[in-house]
Amino acid sequence: MANAFVAAFEILSFGAIIVLIVLGLGIIASMMGIFNFAQGEFVLLGAYITYLAYANGLPIWAGMVAAPFLVGALGFVLEALVIRRFYAAPIVAMLGTYALGLIIREAVRGLIGGFYLTVPEPIGGSIDIGTMHISAWRFTIIVITLLVMAGCYLLLSRTSFGLRMRATLENPSLARASGISTPLMYGATFAFGSALAGLAGALIVPVFSLYADLGIRFLIQGFVAVMVGGVGSFIGPVAGAGVIGTLSAALPWIMAPVVADVLVFVLAIAFIKFRPQGLIAGKGV
């Protein structure tokens, strides 16, 4: 019973990590119509900013708070300078964002020297439930993920900012005629998705350490999760992240991790083949 509870907690905590990463990717894909292949590197930047704060004697929480704002600001600048030119050609946008991600990844690799760098957990120790022990920090990640999910949904569906964002991305011409600055809203949407990736990187770096290829595995899983969940809605990518995160964490308990990773992608490809619209398809939040 104790082992089953611990396994369920590990599966839930990893699923929460995938959800955090997919939130930003899903918002950009669903609302802007492009896949940001630099999203994994935005996760890496969030982790690197947190490490810099720790390495310079600042509280780890300071780095975690700063990471989403700094990564979001970078995303806003990149959208204005580069991404904006690719909206009419989604395939080119994928290649362009992949190139940006490659530049960011190799720059970080040069800065950290190819090493694996560790950051301690801001909340150490474990939570004891009888004879069972669960990581306090992983539990914190689950709680933060739930709060971020709720906050994102309310922001996009219950505020005037979310209404303007959805109006811009669903009918740019009508939005401009209504006095909405469409370039600003595109930039804000991309920055918001980037900031979520930065937050994800900041939260997971104590768990996975900092290394140059940190974002690659999560980018691939995030991309598959968005496709399984369905592009065009807020709930779809989150549902896909839950499915992929659960499978990725659960299967290694019963088979070799390498086989489990392959099986996850095979199952995802088979599902997309027979249901290309994903679990939940839609055109808006």
Side-chain angles (χ1 to χ4, degrees), residues 31-259:
M31 303 189 72
M32 302 182 71
I34 62 171
F35 275 102
N36 177 24
F37 269 51
Q39 193 77 357
E41 278 59 51
F42 290 154
V43 173
L44 173 62
L45 284 178
Y48 181 64
I49 291 169
T50 303
Y51 168 77
L52 282 181
Y54 166 69
N56 286 279
L58 297 174
I60 298 174
W61 283 111
M64 291 182 170
V65 171
F69 291 99
L70 294 177
V71 176
L74 176 63
F76 186 85
V77 172
L78 290 178
E79 191 279 334
L81 296 179
V82 181
I83 309 299
R84 189 169 298 176
R85 293 163 172 76
F86 298 145
Y87 290 144
I91 300 300
V92 178
M94 293 170 62
L95 296 176
T97 54
Y98 177 80
L100 286 174
L102 184 62
I103 293 171
I104 294 171
R105 182 166 68 249
E106 294 309 314
V108 173
R109 193 190 308 276
L111 290 170
I112 66 177
F115 297 107
Y116 281 68
L117 304 175
T118 59
V119 175
E121 297 176 347
I123 301 176
S126 62
I127 298 174
D128 301 329
I129 304 176
T131 60
M132 297 173 290
H133 311 283
I134 59 176
S135 167
W137 180 240
R138 284 180 176 261
F139 179 77
T140 303
I141 290 177
I142 294 173
V143 173
I144 293 175
T145 299
L146 293 174
L147 293 175
V148 170
M149 287 173 57
C152 288
Y153 179 78
L154 292 175
L155 176 67
L156 296 175
S157 62
R158 296 290 188 270
T159 67
S160 59
F161 173 78
L163 178 61
R164 293 196 301 271
M165 182 183 293
R166 287 181 284 126
T168 298
L169 301 170
E170 290 178 12
N171 195 327
S173 300
L174 181 59
R176 282 194 294 270
S178 301
I180 298 174
S181 175
T182 53
L184 180 61
M185 295 310 300
Y186 276 112
T189 302
F190 194 85
F192 184 54
S194 303
L196 290 174
L199 174 62
L203 294 176
I204 68 173
V205 66
V207 178
F208 294 97
S209 299
L210 172 64
Y211 57 100
D213 296 322
L214 173 66
I216 293 179
R217 65 172 293 191
F218 294 112
L219 172 65
I220 296 172
Q221 290 176 326
F223 176 80
V224 172
V226 171
M227 296 303 297
V228 168
V231 178
S233 69
F234 176 81
I235 302 299
V238 174
V243 172
I244 297 300
T246 299
L247 290 175
S248 297
L251 290 179
W253 286 80
I254 59 177
M255 62 181 66
V258 174
V259 177

Side-chain angles (χ1 to χ4, degrees), residues 265-281:
F265 291 118
V266 169
L267 292 174
I269 291 170
F271 178 82
I272 295 170
K273 171 67 176 178
F274 292 103
R275 188 176 171 82
Q277 71 270 31
L279 289 169
I280 303 172

